[in-house]
């Protein structure tokens, strides 16, 4: 009987995996593709909690299984490091969120490596990095400047809708323009009417059509945190972080 020298054996193999990039997905491969995505952890604590590896172990087993089947497996990892969790942790510790986030990510990475997951670390995502969130902002802007044309069955630039309003207005019978909620909130108008509207009136009409738009909705509002919370951030009427009272109220979103 020989004792398993896990410290040295696993350290050696993990180093080999890093150096050889054993788990890197190929960009150009003839193998069938398999994409295995985990929920990215919030780096808002001094280390992982047991719930993280609980889920990651299952997806890692599946990733390894698919590799053995001959698939080109993309199994990335990243950090949901932008927003309320990082902000609250920084407030609790009295440090700048950039500092605490960087330190926590380093600790998380160390722990994930120690467990031996088969992540492709060349594709790591940090949502607090400008080179990441510039794309979420870019997507938002594309949606804001687009409307859905039911006649062509695709999104089109909002300028195309403006041209329609400038030339034919909106009669109330344009099936490629008016649908559902828009029809309820918009009275027919002519091209001349459109040109006579103030810029504010025009923008209020256009926002009814934009793919990103303003609307009232019932939300979980936490006055102490000064933000709206997702349902999974509220427990028994209090915020999961900080334990502050949460109100269910209608707000413009």
């Amino acid at each position: 009987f020989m004792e398993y020298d896990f410290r040295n054996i696993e350290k050696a193999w993990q180093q080999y995996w890093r150096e050889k990039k054993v788990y890197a997905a190929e960009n150009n491969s003839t193998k069938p593709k398999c994409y295995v995505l985990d929920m990215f952890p919030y780096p808002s604590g001094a280390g992982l909690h047991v719930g993280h590896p609980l889920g990651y172990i299952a997806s890692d087993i599946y990733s390894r299984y698919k590799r053995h089947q001959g698939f080109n497996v993309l199994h990335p990892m990243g950090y949901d490091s932008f927003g309320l969790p990082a902000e609250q942790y920084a407030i609790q510790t009295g440090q700048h969120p950039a500092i605490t986030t960087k330190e926590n990510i380093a600790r998380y990475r160390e722990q994930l490596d120690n467990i031996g997951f088969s992540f492709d670390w060349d594709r790591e995502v940090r949502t607090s990095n400008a080179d990441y969130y510039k794309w979420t902002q870019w997507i938002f802007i594309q949606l804001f400047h687009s409307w859905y044309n039911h006649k062509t069955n695709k999104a089109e630039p909002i300028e195309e809708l403006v041209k329609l309003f400038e030339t034919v207005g909106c009669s109330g019978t344009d099936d490629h323009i008016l649908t559902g909620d828009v029809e309820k909130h918009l009275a027919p108008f002519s091209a001349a009417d459109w040109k006579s509207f103030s810029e504010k009136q025009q923008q209020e009409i256009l926002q009814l059509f934009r793919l990103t738009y303003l609307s009232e909705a019932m939300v979980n509002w936490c006055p102490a945190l000064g933000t709206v919370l997702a349902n999974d951030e509220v427990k028994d009427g209090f915020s999961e972080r900080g334990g502050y009272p949460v109100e269910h109220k209608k707000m413009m979103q």
Side-chain angles (χ1 to χ4, degrees):
F1 176 79
M2 293 179 61
E3 183 180 352
Y4 173 48
D5 184 9
F6 65 89
R7 286 187 176 84
N8 289 321
I9 292 174
E10 294 190 14
K11 184 178 180 181
W13 276 111
Q14 287 169 12
Q15 183 177 346
Y16 176 88
W17 296 339
R18 280 194 299 272
E19 292 174 352
K20 301 296 182 181
K21 295 187 182 294
V22 172
Y23 302 121
E26 300 174 42
N27 287 333
N28 301 298
S29 174
T30 57
K31 297 178 181 179
K33 301 175 183 178
C34 181
Y35 182 32
V36 183
L37 181 64
D38 286 300
M39 183 182 76
F40 296 162
Y42 304 129
S44 55
L48 296 169
H49 61 70
V50 70
H52 289 122
L54 183 66
Y56 299 159
I57 288 170
S59 56
D60 200 66
I61 290 171
Y62 183 73
S63 298
R64 292 173 185 273
Y65 169 67
K66 297 303 286 186
R67 285 193 191 93
H68 283 301
Q69 284 191 317
F71 282 77
N72 181 32
V73 178
L74 172 56
H75 187 33
M77 178 46 67
Y79 306 96
D80 193 357
S81 51
F82 195 71
L84 185 64
E87 179 183 291
Q88 284 300 299
Y89 184 78
I91 292 171
Q92 290 166 13
T93 59
Q95 300 181 77
H96 193 284
I99 297 172
T100 56
T101 298
K102 185 177 180 180
E103 291 176 348
N104 291 341
I105 285 177
R107 176 59 178 152
Y108 278 34
R109 172 64 190 273
E110 179 185 13
Q111 291 177 304
L112 290 168
D113 282 343
N114 284 339
I115 296 172
F117 290 120
S118 61
F119 296 128
D120 181 355
W121 285 108
D122 288 343
R123 301 171 191 269
E124 178 192 279
V125 169
R126 299 186 184 189
T127 61
S128 55
N129 284 0
D131 60 358
Y132 173 86
Y133 65 71
K134 74 174 183 180
W135 292 113
T136 60
Q137 293 175 337
W138 179 85
I139 292 169
F140 181 92
I141 291 169
Q142 306 315 305
L143 294 172
F144 181 74
H145 290 302
S146 300
W147 68 292
Y148 193 77
N149 187 335
H150 289 266
K151 197 169 188 178
T152 60
N153 200 31
K154 66 179 183 180
E156 296 180 358
I158 199 74
E159 290 81 10
E160 297 300 316
L161 184 61
V162 172
K163 289 178 184 177
L164 275 173
F165 290 161
E166 289 175 340
T167 54
V168 298
C170 184
S171 67
T173 59
D174 302 306
D175 60 352
H176 64 295
I177 294 180
L178 297 182
T179 57
D181 289 341
V182 175
E183 196 168 10
K184 295 177 189 175
H185 296 93
L186 186 62
F189 58 83
S190 66
D193 290 333
W194 173 259
K195 293 173 183 175
S196 70
F197 292 153
S198 66
E199 182 179 358
K200 181 176 182 294
Q201 289 174 307
Q202 290 180 347
Q203 290 303 320
E204 287 174 345
I205 291 172
L206 291 176
Q207 84 92 17
L208 294 172
F209 294 89
R210 296 181 189 274
L211 297 187
T212 299
Y213 57 91
L214 288 169
S215 178
E216 282 191 326
M218 295 301 294
V219 297
N220 300 311
W221 170 250
C222 181
L225 295 175
T227 189
V228 170
L229 301 178
N231 289 336
D232 59 7
E233 294 175 311
V234 181
K235 187 174 182 181
D236 299 326
F238 293 88
S239 64
E240 189 176 39
R241 291 192 168 271
Y244 302 111
V246 175
E247 306 170 18
H248 198 53
K249 62 185 297 187
K250 182 176 283 190
M251 294 180 68
M252 189 66 76
Q253 298 293 302

